[in-house]
Amino acid sequence: MATIRDVAKRAGVSVATVSRVLNQNGYVNEETEKRVRQAMEELNYKPNEVARALFKKTSKTVGLIVPDITNPFFPELVRAVEDVMNIYDYTVILCNSDEKAEKEREYIEVLKQKYVDGVILTTNQFAPEEVEEWDVPIVVLDRPLHERYPSVVADNYEGARLATRHLYEVGCRRIAHIQGPTHVVNAIERFRGYQDEMKALGLGDRQLVIQGNYQLKQAKEAVMAALADHEIDGIFAGNDVMAVGALKAVQQCGLRVPEDIAIIGYDGIPLTEMTTPELSTVSQPIYEMGAMAARILIKQIEGKPLEKFHYQLPVQLIVRQSTSRRRST
């Protein structure tokens, strides 16, 4: 493998001159630069990216921290971020935190040591003063953190109202909500949307909240327990994974979907089309969100101004078999 000294010898220049060409740092006349680049090509020389990162304090890499890679929502976000970053020759370091704050902090220390050029956060467990100490560009995706950081989110509040209203329109009057983690901003917004829509529909006294923590198994067990104690004819799950758990619970209790209980989820992941019956959902523009966050981060890294700091994207109601019925109240 050729070294920088081999390149310098072939080009007839000093090692320092080759270094200046590689790092675009300092003056090198055009003819000399051509000789250096020709020597690099002839020797098939590949710069040591680790050494360059140490020298320039940059690495052409970005960090992406997600809370739960087993949730199909996040791989779609990751794919979008990677697609955009690849266009700009950036490598994405993926960090899965399992919703653990301490694990997220450990990842941040690792990313700082690797001189990442920026970080995309899809978690909101950091305090703003912690993030400020990182001294790298930050973009917040899916879960808002603080107004000082650029963010890309979906309209979770209105999406939740849309889902609750849809259940009402197909005849449901005893509508339960499976809530996500109580510390997660989008789960809070979806819960708030459910509450406000139930009140607006005159069903404020019939609210029933089930804790599902964005997990399939936990949602399934919680719904089975709720069905033993409550009369329920509609379920709005705070994400699609919990909606699948609710579907399994309802069916194991010998009830029919949608005839006995209608179910709607939230996110719009492909899994909702693989169940029987297929699940209605409030679909987020997942790929668009990830791609937009990546482009914003690139602009920050390059020092370009942002046209807009915070983006809230609209959601869409997708009606499938799990709510496609009318019934008398």
Side-chain angles (χ1 to χ4, degrees):
M1 184 181 294
T3 67
I4 192 171
R5 293 184 183 279
D6 296 328
V7 174
K9 185 176 180 180
R10 174 68 67 92
V13 298
S14 67
V15 171
T17 299
V18 177
S19 178
R20 284 196 293 271
V21 171
L22 287 171
N23 295 303
Q24 295 293 291
N25 182 29
Y27 174 75
V28 179
N29 70 56
E30 187 176 346
E31 184 59 35
T32 300
E33 182 170 350
K34 284 181 180 179
R35 292 207 317 274
V36 170
R37 295 200 178 278
Q38 183 177 346
M40 289 169 60
E41 187 175 342
E42 291 172 354
L43 295 171
N44 195 27
Y45 173 73
K46 304 296 182 185
N48 185 322
E49 294 298 334
V50 174
R52 294 183 71 192
L54 290 170
F55 176 75
K56 300 179 70 175
K57 298 295 188 289
T58 183
S59 60
K60 294 293 282 188
T61 61
V62 298
L64 172 57
I65 301 180
V66 300
D68 181 9
I69 199 63
T70 65
N71 182 335
F73 172 82
F74 291 105
E76 181 72 1
L77 277 184
V78 172
R79 185 168 70 90
V81 171
E82 283 192 326
D83 285 352
V84 172
M85 287 300 174
N86 284 341
I87 294 173
Y88 294 91
D89 295 323
Y90 278 82
T91 299
V92 178
I93 300 175
L94 177 61
C95 308
N96 174 53
S97 72
D98 293 319
E99 294 278 10
K100 296 176 182 176
E102 190 54 41
K103 196 172 179 181
E104 291 174 10
R105 290 184 175 89
E106 290 173 0
Y107 274 133
I108 286 298
E109 290 306 311
V110 171
L111 294 174
K112 285 161 65 176
Q113 290 171 19
K114 291 185 178 296
Y115 296 112
V116 293
D117 298 312
V119 176
I120 295 178
L121 285 176
T122 65
T123 65
N124 67 318
Q125 301 194 73
F126 292 105
E129 51 270 21
E130 285 184 277
V131 179
E132 195 169 354
E133 293 176 356
W134 300 348
D135 196 30
V136 294
I138 301 291
V139 176
V140 180
L141 174 59
D142 183 48
R143 302 181 180 185
L145 180 65
H146 191 279
E147 62 182 10
R148 75 179 70 165
Y149 301 109
S151 63
V152 180
V153 300
D155 195 344
N156 292 291
Y157 174 79
E158 285 302 327
R161 297 198 66 158
L162 188 63
T164 308
R165 191 180 318 127
H166 173 64
L167 290 173
Y168 180 86
E169 288 172 349
V170 300
C172 301
R173 294 299 180 267
R174 298 187 180 276
I175 303 169
H177 173 54
I178 311 177
Q179 188 178 11
T182 54
H183 67 277
V184 174
V185 176
N186 56 28
I188 295 169
E189 286 296 290
R190 293 169 199 176
F191 170 56
R192 191 167 65 87
Y194 161 78
Q195 283 186 310
D196 288 353
E197 189 61 27
M198 288 289 281
K199 292 174 184 176
L201 295 170
L203 303 176
D205 59 342
R206 293 189 179 183
Q207 294 181 41
L208 175 63
V209 180
I210 303 168
Q211 296 300 326
N213 206 37
Y214 280 169
Q215 299 296 317
L216 188 154
K217 184 178 179 181
Q218 187 172 337
K220 175 188 171 184
E221 293 172 350
V223 169
M224 292 185 76
L227 289 173
D229 297 328
H230 301 277
E231 183 180 345
I232 300 170
D233 62 5
I235 296 175
F236 161 43
N239 74 354
D240 287 334
V241 170
M242 294 193 298
V244 173
L247 175 62
K248 292 173 71 70
V250 170
Q251 292 175 334
Q252 286 189 20
C253 289
L255 298 170
R256 299 167 300 165
V257 177
E259 291 83 2
D260 299 316
I261 300 179
I263 300 174
I264 186 169
Y266 199 107
D267 279 340
I269 61 177
L271 183 62
T272 54
E273 298 181 81
M274 302 175 191
T275 57
T276 303
E278 295 182 1
L279 286 164
S280 297
T281 185
V282 174
S283 177
Q284 301 191 72
I286 304 174
Y287 190 90
E288 183 182 353
M289 289 166 63
M292 185 175 289
R295 293 190 188 99
I296 292 172
L297 185 60
I298 289 293
K299 284 189 175 182
Q300 285 191 293
I301 291 170
E302 295 179 348
K304 296 178 180 178
L306 302 181
E307 297 85 6
K308 191 175 178 181
F309 220 63
H310 301 292
Y311 291 84
Q312 185 179 73
L313 305 186
V315 295
Q316 179 184 4
L317 174 66
I318 297 179
V319 179
R320 297 198 183 101
Q321 296 164 344
S322 68
T323 62
S324 58
R325 64 90 169 87
R326 305 288 299 187
R327 59 184 296 207
S328 57
T329 60

